[in-house]
Amino acid sequence: MLYRYHTKEADNEMEFGLIGEHLGHSFSKQIHNALGNEGYQLQEIPPDQVDAFFRNRAFSGINVTIPYKKTALAACDEVSSLARQAGAVNCVTNRNGRLTGFNTDCAGIQATLEHAGVHVAGRTVLILGKGGAATAVKAVVQALGGHPVIVYRKPGPDCILPQDALRLHPEAALVINATPAGMSPAIEGQALDLRGFTQLEFVFDLVYNPMKTRLLLQAESLNIPHDNGLRMLVTQAVKAHELFFDVSLPPQAAADVLRELQLQQQNIVLIGMSSCGKSTLGRMLADRLGRPFVDLDAAVEQEAGMPVAAIFEQEQEEGFRRRETAQVRRASLHTGQVIACGGGVIERPENRDLLRSNGILVWLKRDPALMVQEDPARPMLKHGFDQLYARRAPVYEDWADLILPNDNAPEEALEVLCTKLGYTPRQASASQK
């Protein structure tokens, strides 16, 4: 259960929600429900109907996302100075038929930069994109004394091309992605290659689904501090809620909601050798947290219509690995799951980024003497368990965000894992509701 705050009851005729063209991966409803606005809804509106939506004014308060932030700016009777400076409106209130526009994204952007301890003044900031979110980022950067540089895929007098960014601005200290590049389901997208930027201090991607885009995964591999757009999303939602209901939420509200949302959305991914207990512990954990359980080997078998051993026989290991990666990608597009991987998921390096895009990787480490070392249903074990374990163990360790010993009863490992991941008994029981 997320943070609850008592607000005045909304009139039955009032309407609160988020509008945009595609909202399938939005977390806004969960956040606003958690803040006490249980009537908050998501409404997808086609481009040819958005003007009529604003003319009808059949709402009390709305948030606005891609691609209607500039449309909202033009539709309002009054606009805050910050929204005017940003050139985009993402929050609209309706008071007696009069629309007032705000830009709460700016507060979320600034909160993310402040939390990271980033000094913007005097620094070059590469802003990827030219839409409503990018203009909000530019306004914040300018307000903090930074030097914004717009990076866009099409040439223009007010921007540079991505392929020219390193040559023209090797001194860049921050990169902020304000494009949909890398957003689920098109998770392979990346608006800028970070290699070669030696002065980068922080990478900020406004995308929050997946929680780690290709841009952030690359930043991580380069040891560059980074963050996604979830903190920004929660902060701007708190500001919007305050505008909708004319209330002031406690300062801790955003932090509480953010922490709970991160726990709820994070996939818990179990890796390790066959017979280390991934399926057993995975099912127990999924039941404890009230989450879907995904067994990747079972998913491969279901899609192929035959067992793993038969796939290896007919398609060899390469054929199985292709099928496995397809299931890894499919599972990684979703959040809030417990995923048990096959022992050889580490054989393909690309699986790591896919699994980590929305998940934390847990190596279920078990004493080899306690594991089944011969099993006809597991073809890779025919190559020799000891040799296979010796080769794979360092890779499991390298991939893992957390190492969990599993030499005793699975109930013991379950309790240790829940504690390490930060799921208190209250949170675990609440997630089952």
Side-chain angles (χ1 to χ4, degrees):
M1 182 179 296
L2 296 178
Y3 184 90
R4 290 291 172 183
Y5 182 82
H6 179 71
T7 64
K8 62 183 181 182
E9 293 295 329
D11 189 285
N12 288 334
E13 296 181 358
M14 293 181 178
E15 180 183 17
F16 299 93
L18 171 70
I19 67 166
E21 186 174 8
H22 303 292
L23 303 177
H25 297 280
S26 173
F27 297 157
S28 292
K29 180 174 172 60
Q30 295 103 297
I31 296 171
H32 282 270
N33 288 172
L35 293 171
N37 186 357
E38 297 189 356
Y40 194 93
Q41 299 295 327
L42 306 181
Q43 184 171 349
E44 293 185 344
I45 301 178
D48 61 350
Q49 296 179 23
V50 68
D51 290 333
F53 174 86
F54 280 108
R55 284 196 303 271
N56 292 337
R57 305 188 175 203
F59 58 85
S60 177
I62 57 167
N63 290 120
V64 183
T65 191
I66 298 171
Y68 301 136
K69 294 182 180 182
K70 293 187 177 181
T71 303
L73 175 70
C76 289
D77 302 299
E78 183 179 353
V79 176
S80 71
S81 58
L82 188 58
R84 185 72 65 186
Q85 181 183 357
V89 160
N90 78 311
C91 178
V92 181
T93 60
N94 183 352
R95 300 287 187 267
N96 299 316
R98 184 173 178 81
L99 303 186
T100 304
F102 304 88
N103 194 303
T104 61
D105 281 341
C106 292
I109 294 164
Q110 186 165 344
T112 302
L113 297 174
E114 289 176 350
H115 182 267
V118 177
H119 299 288
V120 178
R123 308 293 180 87
T124 297
V125 181
L126 301 182
I127 302 173
L128 314 182
K130 291 184 67 175
T135 54
V137 172
K138 182 179 179 181
V140 172
V141 170
Q142 289 176 326
L144 296 176
H147 305 305
V149 175
I150 302 298
V151 181
Y152 193 57
R153 66 183 184 277
K154 296 179 181 178
D158 58 344
C159 64
I160 63 173
L161 295 170
Q163 57 266 34
D164 296 331
L166 178 59
R167 176 176 60 83
L168 296 175
H169 292 284
E171 81 289 356
L174 288 86
V175 168
I176 303 179
N177 178 45
T179 77
M183 182 183 294
S184 184
I187 58 176
E188 287 81 10
Q190 184 172 336
L192 183 70
D193 188 342
L194 302 177
R195 289 175 297 182
F197 288 96
T198 60
Q199 305 301 312
L200 283 181
E201 299 176 9
F202 187 62
V203 176
F204 176 21
D205 197 330
L206 272 60
V207 172
Y208 55 85
N209 192 346
M211 297 174 74
K212 288 187 178 180
T213 60
R214 288 293 178 90
L215 183 72
L216 295 187
L217 288 167
Q218 187 182 45
E220 187 172 74
S221 71
L222 297 171
N223 296 314
I224 303 169
H226 54 277
D227 201 355
N228 63 21
L230 204 55
R231 186 181 308 278
M232 170 186 166
L233 179 72
V234 171
T235 302
Q236 68 81 23
V238 168
K239 298 299 181 184
H241 182 94
E242 292 177 335
L243 290 168
F244 292 162
F245 292 99
D246 192 24
V247 296
S248 295
L249 295 176
Q252 189 63 24
D256 288 345
V257 172
L258 176 62
R259 177 58 180 159
E260 295 283 356
L261 191 61
Q262 288 171 331
L263 286 174
Q264 285 191 359
Q265 298 302 321
Q266 176 180 257
N267 288 331
I268 303 170
V269 182
L270 304 179
I271 61 174
M273 288 291 288
S274 300
S275 302
C276 71
K278 298 186 299 291
S279 295
T280 298
L281 183 63
R283 289 189 176 91
M284 292 171 62
L285 182 62
D287 183 64
R288 167 74 69 89
L289 300 179
R291 295 182 173 210
F293 173 69
V294 178
D295 185 314
L296 289 181
D297 276 354
V300 171
E301 290 181 332
Q302 182 176 5
E303 189 274 336
M306 54 183 160
V308 169
I311 299 173
F312 266 78
E313 183 177 348
Q314 295 184 24
E315 302 177 10
Q316 309 305 311
E317 182 181 357
E318 180 59 29
F320 174 80
R321 297 299 171 207
R322 284 197 301 269
R323 290 180 178 274
E324 182 179 53
T325 295
Q327 294 304 321
V328 166
R329 187 185 190 282
R330 181 175 300 174
S332 297
L333 291 175
H334 302 282
T335 59
Q337 308 164 109
V338 176
I339 302 173
C341 299
V345 73
I346 59 170
E347 300 290 348
R348 279 198 164 191
E350 60 265 39
N351 291 337
R352 180 180 186 175
D353 280 354
L354 288 170
L355 291 168
R356 298 189 75 242
S357 63
N358 274 318
I360 180 170
L361 271 59
V362 180
W363 176 21
L364 205 55
K365 187 177 182 180
R366 189 169 177 84
D367 185 341
L370 299 175
M371 290 188 277
V372 176
Q373 301 193 20
E374 291 186 12
D375 185 346
R378 303 178 188 276
M380 290 299 293
L381 298 186
K382 294 179 181 180
H383 299 296
F385 182 92
D386 292 338
Q387 296 90 333
L388 193 62
Y389 182 81
R391 178 169 63 83
R392 286 181 175 178
V395 186
Y396 292 138
E397 184 172 8
D398 180 57
W399 280 35
D401 298 299
L402 176 66
I403 298 175
L404 181 69
N406 188 36
D407 292 340
N408 300 315
E411 291 80 7
E412 179 180 327
L414 176 66
E415 298 306 323
V416 172
L417 181 56
C418 285
T419 300
K420 285 183 176 293
L421 293 175
Y423 294 98
T424 66
R426 178 187 64 80
Q427 291 166 327
S429 61
S431 67
Q432 295 177 17
K433 296 182 179 180

